[in-house]
Structures are given as C-alpha cells and as structure tokens.
Amino acid sequence: MKISEILKRDFVISELSSNNKSDILFELCKYLEQSGIIKNKKDLFDSLIEREILASTGIGENLAIPHVKIDGIEQIIGLLGKSVNGVEFESLDNQPVHFIFLLLIPQNSTGQHLKALARISRLFKNSSLRDHILKAKNADEIYSLLIDEDSKFI
C-alpha cells in the first residue's frame, strides 16, 4: 500500500493551531467535517477519544496514528497534521508528538488498515524525513517529502 492511496495533498495540515491532544483531535475532526468527508465532527471526536482511552495512539518517534472505523466511507482516508512545538500525547516513548496521522477506516475493513498503519510507521521511522517535515514550510512540501520517501519502498 502506497501513502498516496490513503493521503491526498489537500489532507495535509502544515501547522496545527492546537496545543494539546484533545484539541488537536478536535481540530482534525473539524477539518474533515469542513472538507465534507464526515458529517458530524463531534461523533468522530467522541470515537477518537474512546480509542485513546483504550491506549494512546502515540507510537513513539514523535508520531501518533489515531484511527477509527466509521460508516459511510469506501476506502481508508488519511489526514496528516504537523505540530512544530509538539504536544503531549501519552506516547510510548514519552516524547512530544509532532506528527498526527489520522486514519478513517471503513467499517468492513479487515486487514488494509493494518497495512496502512505499518506503512506510516515505517515511513516515520526515518529521522531525516521527520526533520525535513518539521522544517517544511507548507503542505505541498510535506506531501512531496512523504511521496518521495514512500517511493523508495516496494
């Protein structure tokens, strides 16, 4: 699975304005509602918070991958937000999160979301990529960096 299959250029936010986990998740939900992907940001937000209560999606190396299954979509949809200052996300490594890669997963998805999670995790293991994304000035630059790095993997 390629990143371009789940992340479109318009779904990259180069600077999130929120500064805590809950507000970041709400900001991402609001973006998806305004983009017409979801109808109700509050319902999505509540689902994401429920998921975070089970276990933090902050997987380490400054990355969080919040994800939920929802009705009404046919394929996985990704939304990437960057926080230059980083936020506390209860990550496994106790480090601040700079990259929040939200995944919306179709209800009937069985294994595709696991491939998406693995792909994102693999990409962001690259410290050079993380540094370049952190320094990127806009969403186009971030998207290009991800697509270029992703093209190196089979």
Side-chain angles (χ1 to χ4, degrees):
M1 168 177 290
K2 292 289 200 183
I3 284 298
S4 61
E5 294 174 46
I6 58 173
L7 181 67
K8 303 302 176 209
R9 190 175 296 271
D10 293 343
F11 284 71
V12 175
I13 302 170
S14 62
E15 182 55 42
L16 293 164
S17 60
S18 303
N19 57 14
N20 66 59
K21 181 180 190 175
S22 181
D23 290 350
I24 289 266
L25 292 174
F26 193 78
E27 185 176 343
L28 295 173
C29 292
K30 184 177 175 183
Y31 187 92
L32 288 167
E33 184 183 66
Q34 291 172 342
S35 299
I37 299 298
I38 60 165
K39 290 183 172 61
N40 187 321
K41 66 182 176 273
K42 174 91 171 74
D43 289 346
L44 177 58
F45 175 74
D46 290 345
S47 295
L48 288 167
I49 292 298
E50 283 178 33
R51 170 62 186 85
E52 290 296 322
I53 289 170
L54 292 174
S56 175
T57 56
I59 63 169
E61 300 188 78
N62 310 115
L63 175 66
I65 313 176
H67 54 283
V68 292
K69 288 188 175 186
I70 64 167
D71 290 320
I73 60 171
E74 300 297 317
Q75 65 185 39
I76 297 172
I77 297 171
L79 172 61
L80 174 64
K82 178 181 80 171
S83 170
V84 172
N85 295 325
V87 294
E88 167 56 42
F89 222 87
E90 302 166 45
S91 293
L92 295 175
D93 62 0
N94 295 315
Q95 295 300 308
V97 165
H98 294 282
F99 315 105
I100 301 90
F101 204 124
L102 173 63
L103 291 178
L104 301 180
I105 304 161
Q107 278 293 355
N108 62 353
S109 177
T110 51
Q112 283 300 97
H113 69 286
L114 298 176
K115 290 179 182 176
L117 290 166
R119 190 66 169 213
I120 295 163
S121 177
R122 184 176 180 193
L123 271 173
F124 279 89
K125 286 236 181 269
N126 182 330
S127 62
S128 176
L129 175 67
R130 292 193 313 269
D131 290 344
H132 283 96
I133 291 174
L134 207 50
K135 293 174 186 168
K137 302 289 186 224
N138 58 52
D140 287 341
E141 191 177 342
I142 293 169
Y143 186 79
S144 293
L145 286 164
L146 282 170
I147 296 305
D148 289 348
E149 184 65 25
D150 192 51
S151 70
K152 298 174 185 175
F153 299 122
I154 296 173

